[in-house]
Amino acid sequence: MNLDYLRYFVKLAEVRHYTRAAEQLCISQPSLSHAIRQLETELGVPLFEKNGRNTALTRFGTDFLSCAQRTLAALDDGVTALQKSARGEGLIRLGFLRVLGIRYIPQLAAQFLAANPEKHIQFDFHSDRTQALLDGLSAQAYDLVFCSKPAPNMHMTAIPVTQQELVLIVPPDHPLSHQHSIDLSEALPYPMIYFAKGSGLREVVDDLFASFGAVPRIALETEEDQVIAGLVAQGFGIAVVPYMDLLLKLDLCILKISAPPYKREFFMIHNTDVFLSPAADAFRCFVLAHGQSDSNHAANL
C-alpha cells in the first residue's frame, strides 16, 4: 500500500474537499483523485461519497481513517526516533559491575551529558556480575558493559579503562594481622574465603595464586566481595578482595600484596558484530578520551 496515498486519504478526510486538500498537499486535484481511486480499488470499498459540493467519508472510510492515522503516527514516531539516533541522541544502555557504579560510571555519564547539553540523551544503568553482563551484551540487552575481561572465544572488543588494587584482608587477631604488606605465599597455610565459580573475580584470584604455582585452602565460597569482607571480619577466614571503602568500616586488617604484583583491571566491552548507536559510540569514544584512570584512582572507584 502506497504511504503517500494514505497521507492523501487522511488529508482529504480532514478537509472534506478535493480542491482544498490538493492545495494543502501541493499536488494537482487529478493526482489526488487518482490516488483515492487507486486506494479504493485496492481496498475494494468506497471511502468517500459526494455530500453537496463537499466530500464525506463512507462508513468504510470512517473505519479506515482511525487505522490510517495510527499507522502514519507510528511511522512518523519511528522516523523521528531514528533521526534522533542518527544525530547522536537517544538511550545508552550500560551494564557494569557494582563497584564501578559507586563513582566511576556515574561520573563518566554526568560528564558526558555536561559535554553534550544540546542533545537529548538518556542512560539506562544496570549492575550485575561479569558473566551475566557478558551474556546480556551477547543478547543485545546492553550497548556497552564494564567488567572483567571476557574469554577470547567470546570475540568481543575489550579495552582496559581502569583498575582496582587487590588486597589481603584478615581478622584483627590473625597471625598475619601485624603485617602491613605480604607475599601471598605466606597466606597459603590459612583457610580462605573465596569467590564462587562464575564470579568474575574467581578467575582473577585463581590466576594470582597460579602465578607462583599455588592452590589456596578454600574454606567458604560466595559471590559478593562485601559478604566476603563481612565473613573475614567475623573470623571465618582470610581473603583476597578488591580494595573498597567498606573495608575501612569493618573490624579487620588490610594487607597490601607485595608479591606477586597484580592489579585488577576493568574493561569497557562491546560486541563488534552488533551496530553501536551513534550515541553509544560517542560515549565509548568519550570514555577512551576521559575515562581511563591509573592506579592512583583505583582505590577510589
Side-chain angles (χ1 to χ4, degrees):
M1 183 170 288
N2 190 308
L3 285 174
D4 286 337
Y5 290 1
L6 274 184
R7 295 189 189 279
Y8 296 170
F9 163 72
V10 170
K11 176 58 68 176
L12 182 57
E14 293 172 351
V15 176
R16 307 294 176 96
H17 194 281
Y18 271 90
T19 301
R20 289 197 296 270
E23 289 174 350
Q24 293 181 26
L25 290 167
C26 298
I27 61 174
S28 67
Q29 181 176 329
S31 295
L32 176 58
S33 298
H34 174 75
I36 298 302
R37 285 197 301 271
Q38 289 290 104
L39 194 57
E40 290 177 328
T41 298
E42 184 174 351
L43 293 173
V45 293
L47 299 174
F48 293 98
E49 57 191 1
K50 288 287 187 179
N51 184 12
R53 293 184 177 181
N54 293 325
T55 298
L57 285 167
T58 65
R59 66 183 182 88
F60 302 113
T62 300
D63 292 341
F64 187 59
L65 178 60
S66 59
C67 174
Q69 288 172 327
R70 289 196 303 270
T71 299
L72 292 173
L75 176 64
D76 290 341
D77 288 345
V79 170
T80 299
L82 290 178
Q83 289 174 336
K84 287 182 177 179
S85 294
R87 294 195 298 266
E89 300 182 354
L91 182 67
I92 302 174
R93 304 166 303 164
L94 301 182
F96 47 86
L97 295 175
R98 182 178 301 170
V99 65
L100 296 175
I102 297 172
R103 186 173 304 173
Y104 181 75
I105 294 296
Q107 281 185 345
L108 278 176
Q111 291 167 1
F112 181 71
L113 292 176
N116 296 275
E118 76 287 356
K119 294 181 178 178
H120 297 286
I121 299 171
Q122 301 85 40
F123 282 95
D124 179 66
F125 301 106
H126 184 79
S127 64
D128 213 323
R129 296 179 294 110
T130 289
Q131 190 56 54
L133 292 172
L134 294 174
D135 290 343
L137 186 62
S138 296
Q140 301 185 35
Y142 309 116
D143 298 307
L144 299 164
V145 299
F146 295 78
C147 57
S148 300
K149 190 174 184 178
N153 61 6
M154 296 194 75
H155 304 295
M156 294 180 176
T157 298
I159 301 171
V161 291
T162 190
Q163 56 190 11
Q164 187 178 46
E165 185 179 10
L166 295 175
V167 295
L168 181 74
I169 54 175
V170 302
D173 57 352
H174 194 273
L176 298 175
S177 61
H178 65 284
Q179 300 183 210
H180 295 292
S181 63
I182 188 172
D183 184 313
L184 202 55
S185 62
E186 298 178 62
L188 290 174
Y190 305 102
M192 301 198 69
I193 304 173
Y194 219 66
F195 287 95
K197 292 179 179 179
S199 167
L201 274 166
R202 173 66 177 245
E203 186 175 348
V204 170
V205 180
D206 277 345
D207 289 346
L208 192 59
F209 281 101
S211 67
F212 59 95
V215 176
R217 292 173 52 198
I218 300 175
L220 295 170
E221 294 184 11
T222 186
E223 294 180 342
E224 294 288 341
D225 48 13
Q226 296 178 352
V227 175
I228 291 176
L231 291 170
V232 171
Q234 295 301 316
F236 284 90
I238 65 175
V240 175
V241 296
Y243 179 86
M244 49 189 160
D245 291 340
L246 172 69
L247 301 181
L248 301 175
K249 301 175 183 179
L250 297 175
D251 188 19
L252 47 74
C253 297
I254 306 169
L255 283 64
K256 181 179 178 64
I257 299 174
S258 59
Y262 190 85
K263 292 185 185 297
R264 182 192 185 191
E265 285 190 304
F266 296 110
F267 294 78
M268 177 174 61
I269 305 165
H270 74 279
N271 189 342
T272 50
D273 292 333
V274 175
F275 175 76
L276 201 58
S277 72
D281 190 53
F283 182 71
R284 181 187 66 84
C285 293
F286 183 86
V287 173
L288 294 179
H290 302 87
Q292 293 179 311
S293 64
D294 58 28
S295 58
N296 292 328
H297 298 104
N300 295 317
L301 288 172

